[in-house]
Each structure stands twice: as C-alpha cells, then as structure tokens.
Amino acid sequence: EDKVVQSPLSLVVHEGDTVTLNCSYEVTNFRSLLWYKQEKKAPTFLFMLTSSGIEKKSGRLSSILDKKELFSILNITATQTGDSAIYLCAVKYLFSGAGSYQLTFGKGTKLSVIP
Amino acid sequence: GAVVSQHPSWVICKSGTSVKIECRSLDFQATTMFWYRQFPKQSLMLMATSNEGSKATYEQGVEKDKFLINHASLTLSTLTVTSAHPEDSSFYICSARYADRVFPTDTQYFGPGTRLTVL
C-alpha cells in the first residue's frame, strides 16, 4: 500500500496557466514533507515543509502542508516550458525502533507545459 | 505497483569495513537503476547509473573503486561502499526505471533509502 500518493500522474498545460499538484501521505512519526523537481539528472530540492499552514514560496512556486488532513500542494503560477518536469513528493518519517528516518517518495506528477 | 525496496534500512559499521546495500524492484523489471546520495539541505546527488548486464556509469567526482555497483539482474542492483570512512556516512537512495520495451517511461521509482553510519 502506497504511503505517499501524488495526483495527478500526468498533466499537460499551456504556458501561463497555474497548476496545483497534490501529495497525500499516510505515515506514523511524520517528520517532514519534501518536494523535488526532476528533469534529466538528480531531483532538485524545492521545499521542505514541517509545519501546517505555513506557505513556503520561491518565485512562482509555492507549497503548503496540512498535517491534519495529511496532504500538501505545490502550486506553480504563470507556468513556463522550463517548468516541464516530474515533480516528486517525499515524506520523511522516523523508522520505528531504529532511531533513523526513512524517506518515501510518491510516484511523481509529470508536468508538460506547452507553448 | 512499482515498489522498490532497499536493504538494509540502516547500517552502522566500523571504519575500514565494506558495506553492501541492495536495491530491488519488487513487482517490475528495471533495466536501469540509479544510486543517489542525500546531502544536508535535502539535496540528492546522483552517484551512478546502473544498467543491467553492463558496467555502471559514474558521475564526475564519484570514485568507482570506492562505490562498487553491480546490476546482475533486472530486479537487483547492489552498491558496495568499500573501506568505508566516517565521511561516507550518509543516506543512500536508489531508484529504478520501469523497463517496458514498447512504452519506455522516464519515471523513476524510489526506494526508501539506507542510512549508513560509519564509526
């Protein structure tokens, strides 16, 4: 059973559109939720969210976490072709009994921005 | 579907020993697997790309004699950290790319990571 579920799986939009990507999770001992953008090589870190209701913003990207409803959204406004990528959500949680953490990734949302 | 597992989840070893980390695709075949290392501030560094039946392709700056990668089957890749030192302590993550010969995909499915602590 997937602990981290992203939706939609794939999205095609026109330049200038605003998109919202969703990530829901179900883990115990939650620590943080991370968003990454993956193009050709390693995923690029975007945001880390640990507290509910506090929006993180970077340029046209923003994200917020709801720890009560167990989800996060990533918003991209005024999309550009360079935003085309796979966006990954990952949840960090304490691995029970070991004092270490695990990082579980969702399957990603593939965003395609067309001119 | 598309589950990737790693073993072990957490390993502590003494300096100078070698540690093997396994990455398995449980319900699909993966001709390509990737090994990443997570650094502070959450960034992921691609270490190498592992193709089934051939030698791994290492990224610049990654010592191939230190980080041995074997991809012996379509469902298993291993990373061996040889003569581990404290600076090798990190979180190592693998991912696997689904190998559908008719409809290949760019999607990578990530494992849960292995925390390596070298004393």
Side-chain angles (χ1 to χ4, degrees):
Chain A
E1 195 175 313
D2 290 346
K3 292 182 188 294
V4 180
V5 178
Q6 291 186 246
S7 64
L9 289 177
S10 183
L11 192 56
V12 180
V13 300
H14 285 99
E15 267 192 316
D17 288 351
T18 293
V19 297
T20 298
L21 310 182
N22 303 291
C23 175
S24 63
Y25 62 92
E26 190 172 338
V27 302
T28 52
N29 297 314
F30 172 88
R31 284 294 176 266
S32 57
L33 185 145
L34 299 91
W35 283 99
Y36 290 89
K37 176 183 181 182
Q38 181 160 37
E39 296 171 276
K40 295 291 182 187
K41 292 269 186 176
T44 305
F45 171 72
L46 296 175
F47 298 111
M48 183 171 79
L49 304 156
T50 53
S51 303
S52 266
I54 299 174
E55 186 184 53
K56 293 247 176 145
K57 210 168 164 61
S58 176
R60 296 176 294 102
L61 276 66
S62 63
S63 184
I64 198 160
L65 173 68
D66 186 328
K67 287 166 77 172
K68 186 179 173 189
E69 300 297 329
L70 308 183
F71 79 91
S72 173
I73 59 171
L74 174 68
N75 271 326
I76 309 174
T77 58
T79 51
Q80 302 170 357
T81 54
D83 295 326
S84 297
I86 294 173
Y87 290 83
L88 294 162
C89 166
V91 171
K92 187 185 286 189
Y93 60 100
L94 199 61
F95 188 54
S96 62
S100 178
Y101 63 85
Q102 284 211 292
L103 190 64
T104 295
F105 282 82
K107 292 188 169 52
T109 294
K110 185 169 185 176
L111 173 65
S112 301
V113 182
I114 53 179
Chain B
V3 176
V4 176
S5 72
Q6 283 184 240
H7 176 81
S9 300
W10 192 24
V11 56
I12 302 173
C13 69
K14 289 185 178 179
S15 189
T17 59
S18 293
V19 175
K20 182 189 279 189
I21 302 169
E22 291 186 350
C23 176
R24 290 181 188 273
S25 55
L26 297 185
D27 52 1
F28 67 101
Q29 293 186 331
T31 52
T32 306
M33 289 185 172
F34 304 86
W35 285 96
Y36 297 89
R37 182 172 172 176
Q38 186 178 40
F39 281 92
K41 304 218 174 183
Q42 319 305 326
S43 66
L44 295 181
M45 181 194 83
L46 178 64
M47 298 173 67
T49 302
S50 166
N51 292 297
E52 184 262 338
S54 64
K55 288 184 180 179
T57 303
Y58 289 82
E59 296 298 304
Q60 195 170 14
V62 178
E63 299 174 60
K64 61 181 180 183
D65 295 329
K66 172 116 180 119
F67 299 99
L68 301 178
I69 290 172
N70 184 280
H71 193 159
S73 77
L74 285 171
T75 58
L76 173 65
S77 176
T78 60
L79 167 68
T80 302
V81 183
T82 61
S83 187
H85 289 285
E87 58 265 29
D88 298 324
S89 298
S90 189
F91 198 63
Y92 293 87
I93 302 171
C94 77
S95 69
R97 189 158 63 194
Y98 180 59
D100 183 317
R101 303 202 189 277
V102 178
F103 298 108
T105 175
D106 293 331
T107 303
Q108 292 179 31
Y109 301 101
F110 286 81
T114 296
R115 178 81 174 265
L116 171 63
T117 302
V118 185
L119 302 176

